[in-house]
Amino acid sequence: MSYAAYKMKHWPTGIEHCAAGFIAHRPSDAAAFPAPAAGPAASSGADSDADSSSARRRGPTPTLVVAAANVLEVYAVRAEAAPAAEDGAAFDGVLGARLELVCHYRLHGNVESMAVLSDGAENRRDSIALAFRDTKITCLEFDDAIHGLRTSSMHCFEGPEWQHLKRGRESFAWGPVIKSDPLGRCGAALIYGLQMAILKAAQVGQSLVGEDEPTRALSSSAVRVESSYLIDLRALETNHVKDFTFVHGYIEPVLVILHEREPTWAGRISSKHHTCMISAFSISMTLKQHPVIWSAANLPHDAYQILSVPPPISGVLVVCANSIHYHSQSTSCSLALNSFSSQPDGSPEIPKLNFHVELDAAKATWLSNDIVMFSTKTGEMLLLTVVYDGRTVRRLDLMKSKASVISSGATTIGSSFFFLGSRLGDSLLVQFSCGVATSVLPDLIDERSGDIEGDLPFPKRLKRVPSDVLQDVTSVEELSFQNNMLPNSIESAQKISYVVRDKLINVGPLKDFSYGLRVNADANATGNAKQSNYELVCCSGHGKNGALSVLQQSIRPDLITEVELPSCRGIWTVYYKSSRAHTSEDNEYHAYLIISLESRTMVLETGDDLGEVTETVDYYVQGATIAAGNLFGRRRVIQVYATGARVLDGSFMTQELNFTAHSSESSSSSSEPLGVASASIADPYVLLKMVDGTVQLLVGDHSTCALSISVPSIFTSSSEKISACTLYCDRGPEPWLRKTRSDAWLSSGIAEPIDGSGSSSQEQSDIYCIICYESGKLEIFEVPSFRCVFSVESFFSGEALLVDSKGRHDDTKVSLKKEADSIRVVELAMHRWSGQFSRPFLFGLLNDGTFLCYHAFCYEDSESNVKDNSFSPAGSVDLASASDSRLKNLRFHRISVDITLREDISSLARPRITIFNNVGGYEGLFLSGTRPVWVMVCRQRFRVHPQLCDGPIEAFTVLHNVNCCHGLIYVTSQGFLKICQLPEAYNYDNYWPVQKIPLHGTPHQVTYYAEQSLYPLIVSVPVVRPLNQVLSIMADQDLVHHMDNDATSADDLQKTYTVEEFEVRVLELEKPSGRWETRSTIPMQSFENALTVRIVTLHNTTTKENETLMAIGTAYVQGEDVAARGRVLLFSFTKSENSQNLVTEVYSKESKGAVSAVASLQGHLLIAAGPKITLSKWTGSELTAVAFYDAPLHVVSLNIVKNFVLFGDIHKSVYFLSWKEQGSQLTLLAKDFGSLDCFATEFLIDGSTLNLAVSDSDKNLQIFYYAPKMVESWKGQKLLSRAEFHVGAHLTKFMRLQMLPAPGLASEKTNRFALLFGTLDGGIGCIAPIDELTFRRLQSLQRKLVDAVPHVCGLNPRSFRQFKSNGKAHRPGPDNIIDFELLAHYEMLSLEEQLDIAQQIGTTRAQILSNFADISLGTSFL
């Protein structure tokens, strides 16, 4: 293997940065459409009600921006207001709230810091400022025209001309930190630790746009940065900057910097402890001057964070590990948090808390103008009240509140929500209320403890959340004390109560994972279907957020029953509403299952069991069925077949229609029946596409429940052939597409008051017909008038935006190349899923297997409106001029979906897109075909999950009846009909379906024992111990004796210390139920850490048999004064089922040094203990050493292939050894001479070549090879670099998996392995070997894409992927890894650009896309 491909499969989920601001809407817009969901009737009733003033008090809710490594996401908070009647169940007037995705991007760089630039104006939006490694700063604003983020300015202080800023330093501990002025006048970024970059915001009225751009955007545009300049902090004598912030209440922006005058260190704390100070600089951007206006010295050395206090108080809070200090220009006060806090000599005594808490690494956010919430390093939530009188601050009060997730960031969203972002657990959206009396809280929590997503309609979703997300730390009543004289008393903090409303799932940090069989694995599966037998069991999270995450890339439904059914062409389930049934629509059972075979149709009744009733019903059963569905509010069933259609009432036919050709053609053929190719049903219309490319519409009449045929006149006249068509039903209290008309304000504003209050709950539905012609033109018509309301040229080319092209016909169309002429749209679908704020999606399937997916949005282009209104008289509302009825404000933006179908689809194929509204509580669509895939819609974003377990799927439909609740039926190409349900335990709102099993401890390492399907797992749980007990175990005995004689105060003996206690749990996944059970637990001794657990196969030299044992390596952690020791433990598994002990210890021995890795090498046991690697043979009761090798410092990972050993050292890179049986020696073949802090190592095997992969602490990946014949290798001593690559995340584990056969990869090499890796950000990806021809082709494509695609934030993918040595000496290696994160942009280009780029690099689009498909097929391991 000389070449490899890097491909992410599961993107990072651990949220590191979060911020809130009015990004996607202005504050004035948010106030315009209030939260109540029930429509005008409820809100008018609520306004008169005095109780619901809380809904008005709440004010507009900003948008949430989160960043996880290199993924940027913008969410809108959708709150559902409670109707006035049911105030009891609601919390502060809100029934539920959830996050809904606005847009998301994958960047070519990790976000180091994030701030929201906001000027607080009602009619201006906020911008996002992002900082990237070294010194790149980008400002983004939301652009309505593309419904996404657009770069508004970029600031970079890198390159040769800025080299002097580094002052000779090469490595920096962290990237740039960015903060913004509360009034939006400027932003500041700390770069290289010594320079402050000031970003000056443009004044309202000035613009960055050129003269040609219209000025209309200025009034509502976002905050923009006009220019930037640097302040050298060394000149101001503020070295060692720890944090900085802008403060409120000054005319000019004031920047307060927390810095350390002279650093101290742990050994000098006793004599030099108050080393920090704060300085406030007034920033005058026009003069570029920055005088100091006030400062405060003598702050503790452990101060690390500075918070600006909101008005009317203003000033700053300095947060230290053991104390909190308030400072402003006039007053100051402080609060000691524990007994370690000290004050400078001669200063007054500072008040102490009545409980102990440490605040290092806490995250803070202001809940109101005087209450700040801290989320501590243990996940406790503390509330600090700034008690003030007028403008002077009297004191600080801290109280405990609740416990939640260990967070990496916290932000308040509006006045009633806050968000806790976490990279160690799931991130939470929490609603808080300041006014609820404490007595209300307990029942709220109990009642709705599981109800994190209470607003979602399906009961299934309530199961997803463990009830201990917010547990009580202390009861709130204890802490109440009255002091009514102060204007803001502490009571307001005690009354704060919380409800968790939503959570974003996170599987990071992935420390280790293993690859095991699923519960419902199929032993007979072969080929690619066999892969969906496996799942990834991962150690994720930390502390109390620790969990076992079970991840599957592909869905394997739980089978209820299967029937052999050859040559099936389609299946449908239909409802039948008999008059006596009064069930709600969501829960109605299906009545009939219609199965279309090649030459006949079967009908089954879906009662208690499926019974065939083909003979007794009036369905058309002599031939195949084209489509079936319900009409007239589920009172009738329509069945369409090739030559006609039948309408049925239950099992009786009420009407039969036969289709004939248009009478306009020659009279001889008009009597002959014409075949139907496909049909689309939207109550009460049925749209038929005939074999000859014409369409007919069946119009239903609700009163008679009868259909009539009408051929729209617009299609009889035009000769253009239709390639695909569908109906879209836009339903709801207010149909969405009406809002996009140019006269929308007329229709919506007037209609509702006239209808009276009754109509608001009425469902209204508009039907539209979407048609795509063979020329590629797409048109949307109103039904039944068939007035064209939207049209767009060449839909199949997959443009990023679809805009109504009426009135903008440009005849200068580029002539497409030959390859494009053959491309057709073979299937269309449009659907809007549930949700008050949901918008419709439009899907198109092309005949080369490309799946286009668009999301509709509304954009009011004010220029076009001005033009139209100019010629219509002012009062002519009822003059329906042709231009007014068009959906002029409708636009679609393309969304990327990671679907590789790559197969030719004929235009007469069966429809493949099936839309479902409830399968196991999820909604979305199913795409059948050779690689079937589920596309689930969660939070208005697509989650794509393939289903590989049955090979190609011919047909799919949903089934809801007694025995199969919200299940599904599909037919495989082998001719089996399977009735299934989705596995309930999994959450599908993630890149991969995931199940999290809480462990309440930190998982460290997991391995898989295949014979009994057991998972041994290292878990550590924090335990609180008395301090004297801890010291007695750790130190020598004389020292303890000496300590006792000291006059230790009683207070010191009360002190406790938290110790991590380790154990190895053996978990089993129970087969039918899918529950995880702990079969056995092996505790470690006190202060003994288990470092590794592995399943090893050893050759027993006495019985001459191989034994499978579990090996555990441990280390005693007793401080630096005690020599390091460790133990090796071997356990055997018992075969018998009913025995009590599953594992029994067969061997244990202490060793010098920590045992950090174990492995089995040809029947021997290889142990890395301290700096020595020992190879031992197993006699059945003893380990005898036979060979050893001295490692440099400490081995972090061991890998073995045949008789080769690869190990990675903590500082000294990788070593490659071989083991020779006859001389029984471990010999060094080669090593890497550079220094490298290894994280994980593994062999990468490609046919007969062996490569060594290693990841390091600087987030790089290197691939080495051993070539003793090459001159550069110094006669084979040195490992040579084959490729290097910057991943941008810490890779903690590699797993070698054999690549799957793919049609394009069927080369002569069968023995080809890829490496699956997990990262600390929660991402999973793979490194796969590829052949040279593919590599050269894709590498030249990659070079083209660097320039051809506009990258978000202006980041350069090539510089991101260069090896980062962080200042260490490093000789650059070859660039032999291609980056699929960049190549993924190719499929999102329009067809013309794809063909153009392919031609420039001398290949074809089909060739490139088939390479993509082969690599993604070859690495679909799960």
Side-chain angles (χ1 to χ4, degrees):
M1 177 219 88
S2 307
Y3 308 99
Y6 161 86
K7 186 174 169 64
M8 280 308 277
K9 297 191 151 293
H10 180 290
W11 284 273
T13 55
I15 291 175
E16 290 172 36
H17 306 282
C18 56
F22 289 97
I23 308 295
H25 57 236
R26 298 179 304 217
S28 51
D29 301 345
F33 43 87
S43 60
S44 63
D47 285 345
S48 59
D49 212 357
D51 296 337
S52 67
S53 61
S54 60
R56 283 201 303 276
R57 187 187 71 228
R58 190 165 297 113
T61 305
T63 339
L64 172 72
V65 190
V66 298
N70 65 332
V71 179
L72 181 73
E73 296 174 330
V74 181
Y75 287 98
V77 179
R78 302 293 192 204
E80 186 186 333
E86 324 167 4
D87 241 8
F91 175 76
D92 202 22
V94 175
L95 265 182
R98 74 166 180 276
L99 296 170
E100 212 167 81
L101 189 79
V102 180
C103 54
H104 72 286
Y105 297 96
R106 300 209 289 270
L107 313 176
H108 298 290
N110 291 352
V111 178
E112 292 284 331
S113 161
M114 174 162 75
V116 168
L117 299 172
S118 151
D119 66 353
E122 284 285 299
N123 61 347
R124 285 184 55 171
R125 297 186 172 175
D126 305 343
S127 301
I128 309 171
L130 298 176
F132 298 94
R133 185 51 94 155
D134 278 1
T135 56
K136 298 183 196 69
I137 299 158
T138 304
C139 298
L140 299 169
E141 60 181 56
F142 191 80
D143 185 3
D144 284 319
I146 58 171
H147 200 79
L149 296 174
R150 187 182 62 189
T151 306
S152 66
S153 67
M154 300 190 299
H155 313 267
C156 180
F157 302 97
E158 289 175 27
E161 69 272 28
W162 295 106
Q163 194 65 38
H164 63 278
L165 297 181
K166 295 187 177 182
R167 305 198 58 81
R169 284 175 61 190
E170 280 297 324
S171 73
F172 296 91
W174 53 78
V177 181
I178 189 161
K179 300 279 174 83
S180 70
D181 177 48
L183 293 179
R185 294 164 295 193
C186 65
L190 178 70
I191 55 178
Y192 296 135
L194 314 158
Q195 305 283 340
M196 188 69 76
I198 302 289
L199 311 173
K200 180 177 187 245
Q203 298 297 315
V204 188
Q206 299 178 359
S207 77
L208 297 182
V209 293
E211 293 306 310
D212 49 347
E213 269 198 52
T215 52
R216 63 179 176 79
L218 281 180
S219 59
S220 68
S221 75
V223 180
R224 290 187 174 166
V225 173
E226 181 187 73
S227 59
S228 59
Y229 68 94
L230 288 174
I231 300 176
D232 184 2
L233 295 178
R234 288 178 81 255
L236 301 173
E237 296 187 352
T238 49
N239 301 334
H240 313 293
V241 176
K242 293 192 160 193
D243 197 14
F244 64 98
T245 188
F246 284 95
V247 291
H248 297 261
Y250 289 88
I251 296 170
E252 287 210 308
V254 170
L255 187 65
V256 179
I257 301 182
L258 169 68
H259 56 105
E260 202 165 9
R261 281 170 308 180
E262 316 165 22
T264 179
W265 65 288
R268 297 269 299 147
I269 296 290
S270 56
S271 59
K272 188 174 173 186
H273 42 73
H274 281 70
T275 54
C276 289
M277 67 175 290
I278 52 176
S279 309
F281 297 93
S282 174
I283 308 286
S284 165
M285 287 175 286
T286 44
L287 303 173
K288 299 197 177 175
Q289 290 179 349
H290 25 267
V292 180
I293 53 176
W294 57 273
S295 64
N298 279 343
L299 287 165
H301 69 278
D302 52 11
Y304 68 95
Q305 187 181 18
I306 180 167
L307 303 172
S308 109
V309 183
I313 312 172
S314 68
V316 291
L317 281 177
V318 182
V319 186
C320 314
N322 307 312
S323 55
I324 301 176
H325 306 264
Y326 169 82
H327 282 278
S328 71
Q329 201 161 347
S330 50
T331 58
S332 66
C333 64
S334 35
L335 177 68
L337 303 176
N338 53 40
S339 54
F340 295 112
S341 65
S342 62
Q343 64 247 36
D345 309 324
S347 65
E349 186 74 17
I350 56 174
K352 280 195 165 52
L353 278 181
N354 55 358
F355 58 94
H356 284 238
V357 63
E358 291 170 11
L359 261 194
D360 51 324
K363 301 289 176 272
T365 182
W366 290 91
L367 299 187
S368 70
N369 66 347
D370 59 344
I371 298 178
V372 62
M373 185 202 73
F374 289 102
S375 174
T376 66
K377 58 184 177 182
T378 55
E380 288 182 331
M381 282 154 56
L382 306 173
L383 295 175
L384 177 77
T385 311
V386 180
V387 183
Y388 67 100
D389 183 1
R391 297 215 36 190
T392 58
V393 173
R394 294 295 178 81
R395 63 169 201 271
L396 305 174
D397 275 308
L398 190 73
M399 54 172 282
K400 290 194 178 186
S401 181
K402 287 256 181 307
S404 71
V405 64
I406 301 173
S407 58
S408 60
T411 180
T412 309
I413 311 172
S415 55
S416 51
F417 293 99
F418 64 84
F419 178 78
L420 293 173
S422 171
R423 53 169 300 171
L424 300 179
D426 298 341
S427 301
L428 307 178
L429 173 72
V430 183
Q431 183 189 347
F432 68 93
S433 154
C434 299
V436 181
T438 41
S439 59
V440 185
L441 183 65
D443 8 309
L444 267 176
I445 296 283
D446 297 344
E447 230 174 53
R448 309 167 60 87
S449 57
D451 192 354
I452 275 211
E453 303 188 17
D455 51 335
L456 299 176
F458 310 115
K460 281 257 175 72
R461 300 206 177 173
L462 307 183
K463 291 184 189 163
R464 300 190 197 156
V465 183
S467 54
D468 60 347
V469 181
L470 271 186
Q471 60 270 52
D472 273 311
V473 182
T474 56
S475 66
V476 187
E477 278 80 14
E478 270 178 27
L479 294 170
S480 61
F481 57 90
Q482 253 63 45
N483 190 345
N484 297 326
M485 295 175 346
L486 292 169
N488 68 331
S489 66
I490 187 122
E491 282 179 29
S492 52
Q494 287 158 13
K495 286 188 181 164
I496 291 190
S497 47
Y498 313 94
V499 174
V500 178
R501 287 300 188 191
D502 198 356
K503 68 168 184 177
L504 298 179
I505 208 148
N506 166 27
V507 297
L510 294 176
K511 299 187 187 140
D512 189 26
F513 56 80
S514 62
Y515 185 70
L517 281 175
R518 298 189 187 181
V519 183
N520 55 3
D522 173 21
N524 310 324
T526 53
N528 283 5
K530 190 173 175 185
Q531 293 309 313
S532 65
N533 278 344
Y534 293 97
E535 62 192 5
L536 221 49
V537 177
C538 316
C539 296
S540 60
H542 179 84
K544 65 175 184 184
N545 300 129
L548 209 58
S549 296
V550 184
L551 290 158
Q552 311 179 341
Q553 193 181 352
S554 60
I555 290 180
R556 172 184 280 276
D558 288 334
L559 187 67
I560 295 176
T561 173
E562 66 175 326
V563 190
E564 196 162 353
L565 191 73
S567 73
C568 172
R569 290 286 162 266
I571 47 177
W572 298 270
T573 44
V574 293
Y575 298 98
Y576 169 53
K577 238 184 197 159
S578 55
S579 53
R580 61 178 182 279
H582 293 298
T583 52
S584 70
E585 253 192 39
D586 294 338
N587 216 18
E588 189 181 340
Y589 287 156
H590 288 107
Y592 293 101
L593 169 65
I594 301 161
I595 302 174
S596 166
L597 307 176
E598 232 158 68
S599 55
R600 65 190 186 93
T601 295
M602 291 167 60
V603 182
L604 283 80
E605 222 172 10
T606 59
D608 296 343
D609 48 359
L610 295 180
E612 192 173 342
V613 289
T614 313
E615 305 303 318
T616 61
V617 289
D618 290 344
Y619 283 85
Y620 172 79
V621 295
Q622 291 78 23
T625 300
I626 302 288
N630 284 92
L631 286 181
F632 311 120
R634 298 187 178 170
R635 288 177 300 174
R636 296 283 184 276
V637 176
I638 167 102
Q639 181 197 16
V640 181
Y641 46 96
T643 55
R646 291 188 180 185
V647 181
L648 298 107
D649 182 1
S651 55
F652 305 109
M653 180 167 73
T654 59
Q655 185 186 7
E656 181 164 22
L657 300 164
N658 286 317
F659 309 134
T660 55
H662 297 157
S663 49
S664 58
E665 287 160 26
S666 60
S667 56
S668 63
S669 70
S670 66
S671 59
E672 286 184 17
L674 176 67
V676 177
S678 66
S680 168
I681 301 167
D683 187 5
Y685 303 99
V686 182
L687 182 72
L688 307 169
K689 177 175 161 262
M690 300 302 181
V691 179
D692 64 350
T694 60
V695 294
Q696 298 193 10
L697 182 74
L698 307 184
V699 183
D701 178 358
H702 263 290
S703 52
T704 61
C705 292
L707 293 175
S708 53
I709 302 180
S710 83
V711 178
S713 55
I714 187 167
F715 299 128
T716 51
S717 53
S718 79
S719 57
E720 246 191 309
K721 278 194 151 186
I722 289 171
S723 70
C725 59
T726 185
L727 289 178
Y728 164 62
C729 176
D730 193 22
R731 61 159 49 128
E734 43 177 49
W736 190 86
L737 280 177
R738 287 189 193 175
K739 299 177 191 167
T740 63
R741 286 190 190 167
S742 42
D743 54 355
W745 58 276
L746 296 171
S747 58
S748 62
I750 299 172
E752 287 159 2
I754 300 174
D755 294 343
S757 60
S759 74
S760 62
S761 57
Q762 190 102 25
E763 290 266 319
Q764 303 170 326
S765 59
D766 302 344
I767 310 279
Y768 296 88
C769 162
I770 299 127
I771 286 188
C772 203
Y773 300 99
E774 299 224 328
S775 66
K777 185 178 180 186
L778 175 107
E779 296 198 317
I780 301 182
F781 298 93
E782 276 182 355
V783 178
S785 65
F786 275 90
R787 202 167 54 208
C788 177
V789 290
F790 184 87
S791 66
V792 63
E793 301 290 326
S794 61
F795 170 69
F796 59 71
S797 77
E799 296 288 345
L801 274 184
L802 299 185
V803 184
D804 184 10
S805 62
K806 173 75 192 273
R808 314 194 248 278
H809 285 301
D810 41 350
D811 300 321
T812 59
K813 200 161 176 226
V814 197
S815 58
L816 291 177
K817 306 184 177 53
K818 285 202 296 290
E819 202 179 334
D821 291 346
S822 58
I823 290 187
R824 299 266 178 285
V825 177
V826 290
E827 193 177 348
L828 282 172
M830 186 165 170
H831 192 73
R832 177 176 163 221
W833 279 278
S834 68
Q836 185 199 345
F837 296 95
S838 64
R839 311 191 307 276
F841 290 93
L842 173 67
F843 307 98
L845 193 58
L846 309 187
N847 57 357
D848 67 342
T850 309
F851 185 63
L852 297 178
C853 163
Y854 285 92
H855 202 174
F857 66 97
C858 181
Y859 172 63
E860 292 188 25
D861 193 358
S862 57
E863 297 160 75
S864 56
N865 284 353
V866 175
K867 268 186 249 163
D868 289 343
N869 297 344
S870 56
F871 59 77
S872 69
S876 60
V877 173
D878 51 354
L879 256 175
S881 56
S883 69
D884 261 2
S885 58
R886 289 185 73 86
L887 305 175
K888 191 163 320 89
N889 298 333
L890 174 65
R891 288 192 175 190
F892 292 91
H893 69 100
R894 185 158 168 211
I895 326 176
S896 63
V897 278
D898 185 23
I899 294 180
T900 42
L901 282 171
R902 292 299 142 245
E903 48 178 314
D904 292 331
I905 303 168
S906 75
S907 55
L908 294 174
R910 297 223 39 86
R912 292 165 174 250
I913 300 174
T914 314
I915 286 172
F916 58 86
N917 286 323
N918 188 349
V919 172
Y922 288 86
E923 48 190 14
L925 66 96
F926 185 83
L927 201 57
S928 50
T930 51
R931 282 181 63 76
V933 73
W934 294 78
V935 181
M936 294 183 178
V937 181
C938 306
R939 314 178 187 282
Q940 292 296 297
R941 91 182 280 172
F942 282 146
R943 298 298 196 177
V944 178
H945 304 306
Q947 177 174 331
L948 311 171
C949 55
D950 295 293
I953 288 180
E954 297 287 325
F956 169 95
T957 188
V958 294
L959 172 67
H960 178 46
N961 76 353
V962 183
N963 303 322
C964 174
C965 177
H966 294 302
L968 56 132
I969 307 182
Y970 59 90
V971 179
T972 65
S973 57
Q974 280 97 26
F976 284 96
L977 177 137
K978 300 193 172 191
I979 300 179
C980 308
Q981 279 178 313
L982 275 185
E984 276 187 21
Y986 286 84
N987 187 342
Y988 297 93
D989 180 16
N990 187 32
Y991 299 106
W992 289 2
V994 59
Q995 176 189 7
K996 287 186 79 169
I997 299 100
L999 296 170
H1000 305 297
T1002 308
H1004 294 273
Q1005 216 178 39
V1006 62
T1007 184
Y1008 179 61
Y1009 177 48
E1011 282 173 43
Q1012 298 183 28
S1013 289
L1014 299 174
Y1015 291 92
L1017 166 77
I1018 299 178
V1019 183
S1020 70
V1021 183
V1023 180
V1024 177
R1025 286 279 170 81
L1027 191 58
N1028 48 7
Q1029 185 185 346
V1030 174
L1031 290 170
S1032 64
I1033 301 175
M1034 291 200 51
D1036 297 337
Q1037 291 309 310
D1038 343 333
L1039 187 68
V1040 178
H1041 188 65
H1042 176 66
M1043 266 174 51
D1044 287 345
N1045 298 343
D1046 273 1
T1048 46
S1049 63
D1051 184 36
D1052 281 0
L1053 293 175
Q1054 299 304 309
K1055 284 186 183 166
T1056 57
Y1057 185 74
T1058 310
V1059 200
E1060 293 275 322
E1061 295 210 340
F1062 280 75
E1063 60 188 30
V1064 175
R1065 296 181 195 169
V1066 181
L1067 300 176
E1068 184 183 13
L1069 181 55
E1070 287 198 340
K1071 270 297 175 282
S1073 68
R1075 282 208 317 277
W1076 287 81
E1077 298 291 339
T1078 305
R1079 283 275 164 266
S1080 132
T1081 303
I1082 306 162
M1084 298 293 122
Q1085 295 170 3
S1086 51
F1087 294 97
E1088 183 181 27
N1089 291 12
L1091 297 183
T1092 180
V1093 57
R1094 288 288 175 249
I1095 302 293
V1096 291
T1097 306
L1098 302 183
H1099 181 72
N1100 188 331
T1101 51
T1102 41
T1103 61
K1104 302 283 183 280
E1105 284 175 355
N1106 283 345
E1107 292 180 21
T1108 304
L1109 303 172
M1110 175 170 74
I1112 300 175
T1114 73
Y1116 289 97
V1117 179
Q1118 296 178 319
E1120 55 191 20
D1121 304 325
V1122 184
R1125 297 175 300 135
R1127 281 199 305 164
V1128 181
L1129 306 169
L1130 291 180
F1131 289 83
S1132 69
F1133 296 96
T1134 48
K1135 294 285 183 286
S1136 59
E1137 287 296 310
N1138 51 7
S1139 74
Q1140 290 296 311
N1141 291 9
L1142 183 68
V1143 289
T1144 43
E1145 184 176 315
V1146 291
Y1147 177 78
S1148 116
K1149 184 181 182 205
E1150 232 180 62
S1151 70
K1152 287 181 186 168
V1155 180
S1156 55
V1158 290
S1160 54
L1161 170 60
Q1162 295 185 336
H1164 298 61
L1165 183 64
L1166 194 62
I1167 302 167
K1172 184 175 276 196
I1173 295 180
T1174 320
L1175 189 70
S1176 311
K1177 60 172 195 267
W1178 173 240
T1179 61
S1181 60
E1182 274 301 318
L1183 282 175
T1184 351
V1186 288
F1188 70 93
Y1189 178 81
D1190 280 325
L1193 296 169
H1194 175 83
V1195 177
V1196 279
S1197 68
L1198 270 180
N1199 308 98
I1200 288 171
V1201 164
K1202 295 184 177 170
N1203 62 329
F1204 295 112
V1205 178
L1206 164 68
F1207 75 83
D1209 186 81
I1210 194 164
H1211 285 309
K1212 297 287 183 191
S1213 197
V1214 285
Y1215 283 65
F1216 184 44
L1217 317 174
S1218 82
W1219 152 246
K1220 293 195 178 61
E1221 184 85 51
Q1222 60 268 32
S1224 74
Q1225 57 186 3
L1226 281 170
T1227 45
L1228 174 70
L1229 294 176
K1231 65 175 183 173
D1232 171 29
F1233 280 79
S1235 70
L1236 195 70
D1237 301 353
C1238 297
F1239 262 53
T1241 56
E1242 186 53 278
F1243 288 102
L1244 182 54
I1245 299 170
D1246 181 24
S1248 58
T1249 58
L1250 189 65
N1251 301 278
L1252 324 172
V1254 55
S1255 68
D1256 64 38
S1257 60
D1258 290 321
K1259 306 186 179 184
N1260 303 307
L1261 167 91
Q1262 279 175 281
I1263 300 177
F1264 293 103
Y1265 67 109
Y1266 174 59
K1269 296 195 174 69
M1270 306 269 286
V1271 180
E1272 308 93 278
S1273 73
W1274 304 347
K1275 296 186 180 172
Q1277 297 176 55
K1278 185 178 176 198
L1279 288 172
L1280 300 178
S1281 172
R1282 179 149 273 171
E1284 58 181 32
F1285 189 79
H1286 182 68
V1287 179
H1290 287 125
L1291 308 188
T1292 49
K1293 162 87 175 188
F1294 288 115
M1295 177 171 280
R1296 196 170 64 234
L1297 294 172
Q1298 187 154 8
M1299 288 182 73
L1300 310 179
L1305 294 175
S1307 59
E1308 65 285 351
K1309 296 180 178 173
T1310 50
N1311 185 27
R1312 199 165 232 201
F1313 287 80
L1315 298 183
L1316 196 68
F1317 62 77
T1319 75
L1320 287 182
D1321 298 318
I1324 298 170
C1326 66
I1327 304 284
I1330 52 173
D1331 52 277
E1332 183 167 5
L1333 186 65
T1334 312
F1335 172 78
R1336 296 275 173 235
R1337 180 184 302 125
L1338 295 182
Q1339 191 187 36
S1340 46
L1341 170 64
Q1342 178 174 310
R1343 286 181 181 148
K1344 272 271 175 282
L1345 287 175
V1346 172
D1347 304 326
V1349 178
H1351 301 292
V1352 187
C1353 295
L1355 294 166
N1356 185 342
R1358 276 188 65 187
S1359 75
F1360 178 49
R1361 294 307 184 188
Q1362 269 177 342
F1363 187 91
K1364 307 275 191 293
S1365 63
N1366 199 12
K1368 301 190 194 92
H1370 174 76
R1371 175 177 289 169
D1375 176 22
N1376 286 344
I1377 296 185
I1378 51 171
D1379 176 19
F1380 263 86
E1381 289 289 277
L1382 174 57
L1383 293 176
H1385 290 295
Y1386 182 73
E1387 297 186 68
M1388 286 299 289
L1389 293 172
S1390 68
L1391 184 66
E1392 293 83 6
E1393 294 170 303
Q1394 289 186 12
L1395 297 170
D1396 203 28
I1397 289 179
Q1399 190 185 22
Q1400 287 173 17
I1401 61 174
T1403 179
T1404 62
R1405 169 179 180 265
Q1407 178 65 60
I1408 290 172
L1409 293 178
S1410 82
N1411 284 154
F1412 286 2
D1414 291 340
I1415 290 175
S1416 93
L1417 207 71
T1419 58
S1420 51
F1421 302 115
L1422 296 159

